[in-house]
Amino acid sequence: MPSPHVESVKGHRDFRLLWAGSISSQFGSAIGMVALPFIAVMVLQVSEWQVSLLAGLSALATALLALPIGRKVEHLGKRPVMIGCDLIRAVSLATVPVAALAGALTFTHLCAVAVLNAVFAVAFTAASQSHLKALVTSAGLIDANSRLESTRWLSVAVGPSVAGALVAAVTAAGALAVNSVGFVAAALAIRGIRAPEPPPPVPDEKASRRAELFAGLTFVWAHPALRPMLGSWVLFAGASAMASPLLAVFYMRDLGFSAFEYGLLMGVPSLAGLLGARSVPGLVTRLGVLRTLRGASLLRGPWYFLIPLAVPGPVGLLMAGIGFGLVLFFAAAANSVMAGYRQLETPDHLMSRVATLWSFASTVSQPLFIMVGGVLAALTDTRLSLFVAAGVMTVSALLLPKREE
């Protein structure tokens, strides 16, 4: 079992560079998620189904390629993969403003850029998760993941606002140009890491291609703690995805909140995720890894019930904001602990494949949950559907392993 001792990575030069590269990539992804659909709608004047297709193609590419990407990245140097992923995303995004200036931008071009960015984001994550384990000590993994998770939530909270400001200041094409420079900066940060990288694992020549492809799944499925963790995470993430498109309807139509109030509810509570992630080192030191994970997971779901219980007016706005904020606080804490535990428990030769398994599982399952939520809302109403989502989030914690360190 992992030691409950947590070592701080504050002052770790090479981790700071990896962290800086991850921050640039996280904010780059957040900006791209806003700028690409904006260009599709406002510049190319595409239809609603084409905007949905733009997002759907990225999800489809992730679902189809996540496991093969994990297998490929596993046997490559992780630092060159991360640098390559950032540079490819930088170039692909830069082609959009260039094509727009030349009057040659098409919807097909935008779709290709979206797919490339989704695929190389998965490859970057697979490589960075594996490289992190080699870069810091085992005792430092919890704190390192806490820091990475905290800035991920910061990008979720601030990234869309930054993207909106950039679009307003320099147009959507200009925002993508700035985004492209950010990915180059991320690549330079990672290139500055000095610690020698361990050689990548050698492929098992005796194993079949199928066995190599599903090696991460095989390992997780046989692990007494990681298997229920994956199931719990898929259930919670799926319920969150199920509720997400319904929130706009519930907040603005049922409760009468303004677009500004809706924006506040979707952005400001995400800052609680930053605080939740940074609380993890202290909690793990006191409680241990699995107790912290189970405790945070048990506390993340029930707060969501405050959202469908909300009423019109300032009181309802406060109820929804507090509920969402506390959900994100405990969800971020749970995610940080789970990532550290997964790295500690996974053998080095399976790190990338196990990391991409989480991407694959969420990408495949979340559209199904969204569909169920839409059908349920059509048959009943939005409020009841959100109650169901809150119930699923709460129940998801019961799947976690009960044994302690």
Side-chain angles (χ1 to χ4, degrees):
M1 296 296 294
S3 167
H5 171 65
V6 177
E7 179 182 287
S8 175
V9 294
K10 182 180 180 181
H12 192 302
R13 177 191 177 278
D14 286 340
F15 171 74
R16 287 204 308 268
L17 289 170
L18 178 65
W19 193 12
S22 296
I23 291 171
S24 296
S25 293
Q26 289 163 354
F27 272 88
S29 297
I31 292 170
M33 285 176 63
V34 173
L36 285 174
F38 187 92
I39 290 174
V41 173
M42 302 304 294
V43 178
L44 298 180
Q45 302 289 316
V46 302
S47 62
E48 289 84 352
W49 75 266
Q50 287 176 302
V51 176
S52 299
L53 179 64
L54 186 65
L57 285 174
S58 298
L60 180 62
T62 300
L64 292 176
L65 297 176
L67 295 183
I69 286 171
R71 176 177 175 268
K72 185 67 175 177
V73 170
E74 198 78 80
H75 305 301
L76 298 173
K78 306 305 182 291
R79 211 173 295 164
V81 168
M82 288 187 285
I83 293 171
C85 288
D86 280 334
L87 292 179
I88 289 170
R89 287 186 285 179
V91 171
S92 70
L93 289 170
T95 64
V96 175
V98 170
L101 287 173
L105 184 62
T106 65
F107 179 67
T108 300
H109 186 160
L110 273 191
C111 288
V113 170
V115 168
L116 277 174
N117 275 266
V119 167
F120 285 101
V122 172
F124 180 93
T125 300
S128 64
Q129 287 280 302
S130 181
H131 190 52
L132 178 63
K133 187 176 181 180
L135 199 63
V136 303
T137 65
S138 295
L141 276 174
I142 294 293
D143 187 49
N145 277 290
S146 164
R147 293 171 189 271
L148 290 168
E149 182 74 9
S150 68
T151 49
R152 186 178 77 82
W153 284 103
L154 183 63
S155 72
V156 169
V158 180
S161 299
V162 172
L166 281 174
V167 169
V170 296
T171 74
L176 288 182
V178 173
N179 198 1
S180 179
V181 173
F183 278 121
V184 173
L188 291 174
I190 293 167
R191 189 176 183 276
I193 297 174
R194 292 176 184 168
E197 183 180 352
V202 178
D204 185 354
E205 299 295 339
K206 297 179 181 179
S208 67
R209 180 181 176 86
R210 177 185 175 86
E212 279 280 290
L213 186 65
F214 293 102
L217 175 60
T218 302
F219 168 75
V220 169
W221 195 256
H223 195 285
L226 289 179
R227 182 180 66 251
M229 279 183 197
L230 178 61
S232 175
W233 183 78
V234 166
L235 203 58
F236 178 81
S240 300
M242 169 184 167
S244 183
L246 302 177
L247 286 177
V249 175
F250 181 67
Y251 285 152
M252 290 190 282
R253 188 185 67 189
D254 297 354
L255 299 184
F257 294 154
S258 67
F260 174 73
E261 290 170 325
Y262 171 69
L264 286 178
L265 284 173
M266 299 310 294
V268 174
S270 296
L271 294 174
L274 186 154
L275 299 176
R278 291 303 297 135
S279 72
V280 163
L283 290 173
V284 170
T285 299
R286 293 179 180 86
L287 303 174
V289 175
L290 289 183
R291 281 183 182 172
T292 301
L293 174 60
R294 187 167 173 81
S297 299
L298 284 168
L299 289 170
R300 68 190 174 188
W303 292 105
Y304 206 91
F305 284 104
L306 281 176
I307 294 175
L309 287 171
V311 295
V315 172
L317 189 68
L318 192 62
M319 290 174 67
I322 291 174
F324 197 33
L326 287 171
V327 169
L328 298 183
F329 179 92
F330 290 109
N335 288 350
S336 296
V337 181
M338 182 175 60
Y341 181 91
R342 188 177 70 224
Q343 289 166 335
L344 287 165
E345 289 292 293
T346 302
D348 292 348
H349 70 281
L350 293 174
M351 284 295 301
S352 295
R353 281 172 284 187
V354 169
T356 52
L357 174 62
W358 256 252
S359 299
F360 170 80
S362 63
T363 304
V364 170
S365 63
Q366 287 181 9
L368 300 177
F369 278 92
I370 291 171
M371 188 183 304
V372 169
V375 171
L376 184 60
L379 294 176
T380 57
D381 60 32
T382 306
R383 191 185 294 267
L384 179 59
S385 301
L386 290 174
F387 271 118
V388 171
V392 175
M393 290 181 199
T394 303
V395 169
S396 68
L398 302 180
L399 297 180
L400 290 168
K402 298 179 176 61
R403 60 194 178 97
E404 310 292 350
E405 293 89 344

